[in-house]
Structure formats: C-alpha cells, structure tokens
Amino acid sequence: MDQLKNQIIKTDGKLDVLVNNAGIFPDKKDSILDVDSDTFEDVQLVNYFGPYFLMSTFIPVMIENDYGRVVNLAAEMGVQSAMDAPMAGAYKASKLGLNALTRLFAGSTRRKNVKVNSVSPGWVKTDLGGEKAKREPGEAMEGILWLAQLDEDGPNGKFFRDKEELDF
C-alpha cells in the first residue's frame, strides 16, 4: 500500500476521491452452513479488507489535504435486517462489515472536509450482477458520482441508494 500511496502522491500530490468498487459474490445461493472457509475468506479479503486497507492508507492523506470523498460500494443485502436469511452469508457479512467500516472511518473525519459514505448501486448489469439485472451501469453511477462530489456540508457516514438514505 505504501508503494501505491507514494506513487499517487508523487504523480498527483493528493488523492481527492476513492471509490471502493471491487467485489465478489461467489456464494449467491449457498447457505452460510455450506460456504467453505476458503470462499468465506476470499470474499472478506476482497469486499472488506481491500476497502479497509485503502481507506486506512488514503484517508490520512485526504485529511492532510483537507479534502476527500470516499465512496464504498455496499449492498442492501449487507444491512442488519438482511442477516436473517442464511443465503449469501459470506457476501452479506462482508457488506455489513463494509457499512460498519464506513461509519468508523467517517467518525475519524469529523470536522474535516473528508466524507466517507456507502452506496448501494442496486442490481446492475455487470459481471457480478449478470444479464438479468434490472439496472444499467449508468443508473448506478448517478449515486456514486453524487457522493464523490459532495459539498463540504454533505453527509458523512451514511448509506444511500439513488441519493436516498437507507438504514444500515
């Protein structure tokens, strides 16, 4: 991470926007009881630890520069009320954790011009969402771009879909 941070700082001098978009969803229909430990770990590494490492590396840079916007791509499946159904447990746990990280890192940026929020893009026609998904990528991008360009008095530590706040 330090090498990546140093390269960005050397090239651009700062980082204004970080979008944590990587995600895997290999356990779509599996019960949490059927998810092997390797799959569970892989999902957490990509969906939870990847954003954790990027935020812990770059939010201090944003604070130092007194500007930054972090947008974490979470999911409506990653809220507490969705945990009762045992399907997609590794994915759900990773996205619930990502929403928790959003709140934790947002707390570290209070009184700073750095905003950390989560967004649910919805079910999007991507490699992860598949062809049956209801939304086009452009529709999902509207909420992401909105959060990436928030004013200084914009929300921090919140979860959105289509600019509407959702409960975690």
Side-chain angles (χ1 to χ4, degrees):
M1 276 299 152
D2 285 340
Q3 184 178 0
L4 175 62
K5 178 177 120 180
N6 293 338
Q7 181 180 347
I8 289 171
I9 299 304
K10 181 180 177 184
T11 304
D12 298 317
K14 61 182 179 169
L15 180 70
D16 290 336
V17 177
L18 171 63
V19 178
N20 284 310
N21 184 44
I24 59 173
F25 189 11
D27 63 326
K28 292 178 176 131
K29 296 185 180 186
D30 295 338
S31 164
I32 189 66
L33 297 173
D34 297 325
V35 177
D36 64 84
S37 60
D38 288 337
T39 299
F40 192 88
E41 181 179 5
D42 289 346
V43 172
Q44 303 317 306
L45 287 172
V46 173
N47 298 0
Y48 177 82
F49 282 104
Y52 165 78
F53 289 125
L54 287 165
M55 287 188 285
S56 64
T57 299
F58 288 108
I59 287 176
V61 172
M62 292 173 168
I63 290 171
E64 185 176 308
N65 289 314
D66 195 36
Y67 184 87
R69 301 296 180 261
V70 178
V71 182
N72 293 319
L73 269 74
E76 290 166 76
M77 291 177 70
V79 299
Q80 289 182 9
S81 62
M83 294 301 121
D84 291 341
M87 291 173 53
Y91 181 78
K92 287 179 180 180
S94 71
K95 294 301 183 173
L96 181 66
L98 182 57
N99 280 330
L101 286 177
T102 297
R103 286 254 171 102
L104 288 166
F105 278 102
S108 73
T109 67
R110 284 197 183 100
R111 294 180 286 283
K112 308 286 184 196
N113 190 15
V114 178
K115 307 295 178 198
V116 184
N117 291 288
S118 291
V119 63
S120 172
W123 188 23
V124 183
K125 291 180 184 174
T126 61
D127 289 345
L128 189 133
E131 285 300 314
K132 293 182 181 179
K134 306 280 188 219
R135 302 187 89 189
E136 295 295 329
E139 292 176 86
M141 283 303 300
E142 290 177 22
I144 296 165
L145 291 172
W146 171 68
L147 288 171
Q149 301 174 67
L150 287 173
D151 291 333
E152 187 170 351
D153 64 346
N156 191 27
K158 305 293 183 181
F159 180 40
F160 296 92
R161 178 171 179 189
D162 297 332
K163 302 180 187 177
E164 298 291 325
E165 187 176 343
L166 302 173
D167 290 331
F168 282 66

